[in-house]
Amino acid sequence: MIQNISNHLITNGIKPSYQRIKVYEYLITKKNHPTVDMIYKELLPVIPTFSKTTVYNTLELFMKKGIAIMITIDEKETRYDADTSIHTHFKCEQCLNIYDLKTDLNAMDIPELKEHKITEQHLYFKGICKSCLTKPTPSH
Amino acid sequence: MIQNISNHLITNGIKPSYQRIKVYEYLITKKNHPTVDMIYKELLPVIPTFSKTTVYNTLELFMKKGIAIMITIDEKETRYDADTSIHTHFKCEQCLNIYDLKTDLNAMDIPELKEHKITEQHLYFKGICKSCLTKPTPSH
DNA sequence: CTCAAAATTTAAATATAATCTAAATTTGTT
DNA sequence: AACAAATTTAGATTATATTTAAATTTTGAG
């Protein structure tokens, strides 16, 4: 696993330091679209000298090299994702779960968009998920 | 104009104070998807006692009453829009212009989404706009 | 292996954005 | 005019992000 990550980083022109391997491992195993703070807090026990600046630096590098993207699932939070393919997020406002959805953007017809050169597309939804809809509402 | 805005606020259950009228007027005349700071800076000369807290309070109220929405056009900035209809934004990374696009989301087929109850949908693109594509690149 | 240079990580300082709090002002009612 | 309620305000606090410079680690030449 570590070996695979290491190779993947090298392939993408990134020197595989311990911190970088751990951050990347976090992203691909958890698949939880974390904030900087989530990554920092969860890796601190593993890397006692870990610093938040390293998280910022590492994610910046990953994005520059194209193996991670910055995503929006909620206007208030900056989150990151190692899945750089085109996909969509749905956040349940009740259980706060985040669902990854496949999106066929070619099926979406936005004529004005054809004129411009698109380099990034971001799509996210909010609402109540299937599971919460069937559950009785929690009384709080 | 002021009268129309005032009526519109009243219709939506908002007491039309001077500050609120000015903020709403700003949103609908500029249509520039401003940040809190943009609204504050541009209205300060008009309302010398104006406070940033008022901008936050006012936008919060507008959103609660459904006459404004919080939007994302760039992961780093929280922006606001008085156009609450479903539409899409495209930001040109070169001239930084923001284009509003009509979006037919029904044409977009995301089967998994049918299961959940969607209350909000957000869609934005980045790239180089038509105008910048034809212009020669600025040398800097 | 040893040393110096380069790369990486780190803590601390600074900057920016958002929220909270309590006081001051304004508005509406009697 | 006098009071109560609503609104605005400044300032304090918190959270998030960026910058800087020093410390540490890695790398490669000799």
Side-chain angles (χ1 to χ4, degrees):
Chain A
M1 177 61 159
I2 295 289
Q3 197 50 53
N4 288 344
I5 291 172
S6 194
N7 287 338
H8 188 241
L9 294 183
I10 291 166
T11 305
N12 286 278
I14 297 166
K15 210 183 282 185
S17 74
Y18 184 60
Q19 286 85 343
R20 289 168 180 172
I21 289 169
K22 280 299 170 190
V23 170
Y24 196 76
E25 182 187 38
Y26 180 98
L27 290 173
I28 60 169
T29 56
K30 295 249 174 181
K31 293 185 209 295
N32 59 344
H33 325 89
T35 61
V36 164
D37 201 59
M38 286 164 70
I39 299 172
Y40 174 70
K41 284 224 179 71
E42 294 207 43
L43 287 184
L44 189 56
V46 182
I47 316 167
T49 62
F50 205 36
S51 152
K52 246 184 198 180
T53 311
T54 302
V55 184
Y56 281 107
N57 290 344
T58 301
L59 292 171
E60 197 63 43
L61 180 66
F62 285 180
M63 289 192 291
K64 204 177 74 186
K65 298 295 188 178
I67 64 165
I69 53 174
M70 192 182 269
I71 60 170
T72 303
I73 293 178
D74 195 310
E75 294 75 17
K76 301 293 183 76
E77 305 159 320
T78 306
R79 291 168 168 273
Y80 298 85
D81 198 339
D83 180 355
T84 60
S85 72
I86 292 163
H87 66 290
T88 297
H89 299 105
F90 168 66
K91 181 181 185 176
C92 174
E93 305 255 47
Q94 195 167 304
C95 66
L96 304 183
N97 250 52
I98 293 161
Y99 296 79
D100 284 285
L101 308 175
K102 288 200 195 310
T103 320
D104 182 7
L105 259 165
N106 288 62
M108 192 179 57
D109 190 38
I110 307 179
E112 291 150 294
L113 219 53
K114 302 269 196 301
E115 305 173 337
H116 311 302
K117 185 182 155 205
I118 305 302
T119 55
E120 285 182 39
Q121 48 197 38
H122 299 262
L123 185 49
Y124 65 98
F125 296 88
K126 296 190 208 175
I128 310 291
C129 75
K130 187 187 180 179
S131 163
C132 284
L133 282 172
T134 54
K135 258 182 242 152
T137 359
S139 50
H140 41 211
Chain B
M1 178 63 160
I2 295 289
Q3 197 50 53
N4 287 344
I5 292 172
S6 195
N7 288 337
H8 188 240
L9 295 181
I10 291 166
T11 304
N12 286 279
I14 297 166
K15 209 184 282 185
S17 74
Y18 184 59
Q19 286 84 343
R20 288 168 181 174
I21 289 169
K22 281 299 170 188
V23 171
Y24 196 75
E25 182 187 36
Y26 180 99
L27 289 174
I28 59 169
T29 57
K30 295 249 173 182
K31 294 185 207 298
N32 59 345
H33 325 88
T35 61
V36 164
D37 200 61
M38 286 164 70
I39 299 173
Y40 174 71
K41 283 224 179 73
E42 293 207 42
L43 287 183
L44 190 56
V46 182
I47 315 165
T49 62
F50 204 37
S51 150
K52 245 183 197 180
T53 311
T54 302
V55 183
Y56 280 107
N57 289 343
T58 301
L59 292 170
E60 197 62 43
L61 181 66
F62 286 0
M63 289 192 292
K64 205 176 74 187
K65 298 298 187 177
I67 64 165
I69 53 173
M70 191 182 270
I71 60 170
T72 303
I73 294 180
D74 194 310
E75 295 75 17
K76 300 293 184 74
E77 304 159 321
T78 306
R79 292 168 168 272
Y80 298 86
D81 198 339
D83 179 355
T84 59
S85 72
I86 292 163
H87 65 289
T88 296
H89 299 105
F90 168 67
K91 180 180 187 177
C92 174
E93 306 255 49
Q94 195 167 304
C95 65
L96 303 182
N97 250 51
I98 293 161
Y99 297 79
D100 284 286
L101 309 175
K102 289 199 195 310
T103 320
D104 182 9
L105 258 166
N106 289 63
M108 193 179 57
D109 189 38
I110 308 179
E112 290 150 296
L113 219 51
K114 302 267 193 301
E115 304 173 338
H116 311 303
K117 186 183 156 206
I118 305 302
T119 55
E120 286 181 41
Q121 47 199 38
H122 299 262
L123 187 49
Y124 66 98
F125 296 88
K126 296 191 206 175
I128 310 291
C129 74
K130 187 188 181 179
S131 163
C132 283
L133 282 172
T134 55
K135 258 183 242 152
T137 0
S139 51
H140 43 213

